[in-house]
Amino acid sequence: MGFKNLINSKKILSLLAVFMLLGTSMLFAQGTESAGATASPAADAVKDNGLATAGYYILLFLIVCFVIGIVGKILRVFDLTQQIQGKEPINWNNVMGICCLIFLIAGAYGAYWEFTVHGSMILPGAASEHGVKIDEMFWTTTVLTMIVFVITQILLFTFLFRYRYNAKRRGHFLPHNNTIEKVWTIAPAIVLTVLVIFGFFTWQKITDNVDAKGEPASINIDITGHQFAWELRYPGKDARLGATNYKLVSGINKLGINFKDKYSYDDLQADTMYLPVRKSVRLNIHAQDVIHSVYMPHFRVQLNAVPGLPVFFKFKPTITTAEMRTKLDKPNFEYEILCNKICGGSHYNMKKIVRVVTEAEYQAWLSQQKPYLTDGIKKDLKFAAEKKEVQPNRLALNN
């Protein structure tokens, strides 16, 4: 009765008509733009803002719902006709049982399609030392959950079909069974405990931020996010980064570097992040306005950049850019830093190229970078050396 009222509602039918007209208009507009793209160079500048695609899928969904409603009405009329003629009505229990089997088969194909199509888009092997452990955790969890998923779905829909209602068969009511309760409580608890412990020790090792004895200190690199870009700062010859202070941020000193700190004099600025292969890197992560997120997918690095909360992430790249290009057979491949938080309208612009190179290439690149302490900053901060008159020593005379 509720469905009948819904179908008969003039408001719903009017809304459906509006959606159909809107979707049709969008599709025609999209087709016109596509047809005119070859004739007019200006059409190349027209970009799909997502409304045409969304309108198409909304229209498609509404049409499917409408068709299902019509089919349901037809079957209902057929069922009533059969009953009026004294014939056997439709056995809806059998229909639902068969639908469950069809859904199981279609769902199995959908899962297969998901693995084959979207699975081919998965990231290549981790290009960092800790990333191997991250991948092990991911695949262990994925395999276990997929086994449970397949078993439970097969049992669910097979039972729905096998034990559908039959007037000649009585169901057995089982109010409680301690054995079954123990099995489906203890088994998941054991599996989850193993996963949690495995993940805890793996994550503890990844976040162990103390340099091991005998190993060289990690390379300190500052990365600061703001709407909408990443700013990079490398240490100079002293291998130390100078202090920063948000109160010192200005049009010239965009990172708020405190140039009263002697370690800041040789800090270097860079447009591309260069990393030496198999060297420990410490990313000091900052944000100046809203929450951003440093995301380096190939290195399995991700950490939020929160204003007022400096954090850091240590990792060791293991595959150079050149080696990854050969491995993937992609001559133009580049590692990237992305922002994994929707931080505003131009969020998609927050990208930086990352190049993993040999130690010699890294040192050669580092020697070509310019310091943050430019002549403009020196002038702005009155850093120019002022000559002071040297007063001759005078003897104190007691008069």
Side-chain angles (χ1 to χ4, degrees):
M1 181 62 70
F3 183 76
K4 182 179 179 180
N5 292 335
L6 182 66
I7 293 296
N8 293 333
S9 172
K10 293 181 179 180
K11 293 182 179 179
I12 294 297
L13 290 175
S14 301
L15 185 62
L16 177 60
V18 170
F19 270 115
M20 291 179 69
L21 287 172
L22 179 62
T24 305
S25 301
M26 287 180 174
L27 287 175
F28 273 117
Q30 194 174 22
T32 305
E33 289 175 4
S34 301
T38 56
S40 173
D44 294 335
V46 179
K47 295 183 179 179
D48 177 18
N49 58 6
L51 290 177
T53 304
Y56 169 76
Y57 284 112
I58 290 172
L59 176 62
L60 186 63
F61 173 75
L62 291 174
I63 290 174
V64 170
C65 292
F66 194 68
V67 170
I68 291 174
I70 292 173
V71 172
K73 283 286 185 181
I74 293 172
L75 290 175
R76 181 60 179 161
V77 170
F78 175 76
D79 191 28
L80 291 173
T81 304
Q82 291 289 93
Q83 293 181 41
I84 291 171
Q85 295 176 355
K87 298 179 182 179
E88 285 290 328
I90 297 175
N91 189 330
W92 291 103
N93 296 303
N94 288 340
V95 171
M96 292 304 297
I98 292 171
C99 286
C100 287
L101 282 185
I102 293 173
F103 192 86
L104 174 62
I105 295 169
Y109 174 75
Y112 168 78
W113 180 86
E114 180 72 18
F115 271 99
T116 53
V117 176
H118 287 167
S120 63
M121 304 176 189
I122 198 168
L123 289 169
S128 64
E129 196 174 73
H130 80 275
V132 176
K133 294 292 184 183
I134 293 285
D135 285 355
E136 287 178 1
M137 289 175 56
F138 172 79
W139 285 114
T140 301
T141 305
T142 301
V143 169
L144 288 174
T145 52
M146 279 308 302
I147 291 172
V148 174
F149 169 76
V150 170
I151 293 174
T152 53
Q153 297 308 301
I154 291 175
L155 289 176
L156 174 63
F157 291 103
T158 303
F159 269 62
L160 286 173
F161 174 76
R162 174 68 180 82
Y163 298 106
R164 65 191 183 277
Y165 175 76
N166 189 333
K168 299 178 182 179
R169 181 177 58 207
R170 291 185 61 83
H172 175 65
F173 180 62
L174 184 66
H176 186 74
N177 187 296
N178 285 332
T179 303
I180 295 176
E181 292 285 348
K182 290 175 183 177
V183 169
W184 68 36
T185 301
I186 295 174
I190 293 173
V191 174
L192 289 175
T193 302
V194 171
L195 289 176
V196 168
I197 293 174
F198 175 49
F200 171 76
F201 285 111
T202 302
W203 186 244
Q204 189 180 46
K205 185 176 181 181
I206 290 170
T207 54
D208 183 8
N209 295 303
V210 179
D211 291 326
K213 293 182 178 179
E215 288 187 3
S218 300
I219 299 171
N220 261 318
I221 302 174
D222 263 14
I223 179 167
T224 302
H226 61 83
Q227 294 174 313
F228 295 96
W230 295 111
E231 305 294 341
L232 301 175
R233 184 166 66 118
Y234 279 73
K237 293 181 179 179
D238 58 10
R240 294 184 63 174
L241 289 168
T244 58
N245 189 332
Y246 72 94
K247 295 180 180 180
L248 300 176
V249 174
S250 64
I252 295 179
N253 187 7
K254 55 188 175 184
L255 293 183
I257 299 173
N258 184 1
F259 289 105
K260 293 181 180 180
D261 182 356
K262 63 179 182 180
Y263 295 115
S264 65
Y265 295 165
D266 60 353
D267 289 352
L268 305 173
Q269 53 183 316
D271 290 327
T272 302
M273 181 181 286
Y274 270 69
L275 304 174
V277 68
R278 286 178 283 279
K279 297 286 185 179
S280 180
V281 177
R282 170 178 163 139
L283 284 183
N284 303 298
I285 300 170
H286 310 271
Q288 291 183 331
D289 36 38
V290 299
I291 296 178
H292 302 280
S293 183
V294 174
Y295 181 42
M296 303 168 72
H298 293 89
F299 302 105
R300 312 301 192 259
V301 171
Q302 181 179 342
L303 198 63
N304 285 351
V306 183
L309 182 66
V311 293
F312 60 93
F313 196 108
K314 283 179 59 178
F315 68 102
K316 186 183 291 184
T318 55
I319 303 176
T320 65
T321 300
E323 290 170 344
M324 186 61 82
R325 287 174 177 173
T326 303
K327 181 179 178 181
L328 300 179
D329 194 22
K330 293 182 179 179
N332 298 322
F333 170 82
E334 296 284 6
Y335 294 119
E336 287 183 325
I337 301 174
L338 306 169
C339 178
N340 210 24
K341 282 284 183 291
I342 301 177
C343 56
S346 298
H347 151 77
Y348 61 91
N349 280 331
M350 293 192 66
K351 295 182 181 179
K352 280 286 185 188
I353 299 297
V354 181
R355 294 232 173 94
V356 181
V357 295
T358 63
E359 178 67 22
E361 290 173 319
Y362 172 72
Q363 293 299 335
W365 170 84
L366 199 63
S367 64
Q368 298 174 358
Q369 304 313 301
K370 297 178 180 179
Y372 267 100
L373 187 57
T374 61
D375 293 337
I377 293 179
K378 289 179 180 178
K379 184 178 180 180
D380 186 60
L381 300 178
K382 299 179 181 179
F383 250 74
E386 296 179 359
K387 293 183 180 180
K388 295 181 180 180
E389 294 183 5
V390 179
Q391 298 293 333
N393 292 331
R394 294 180 179 178
L395 293 175
L397 300 176
N398 294 323
N399 295 328

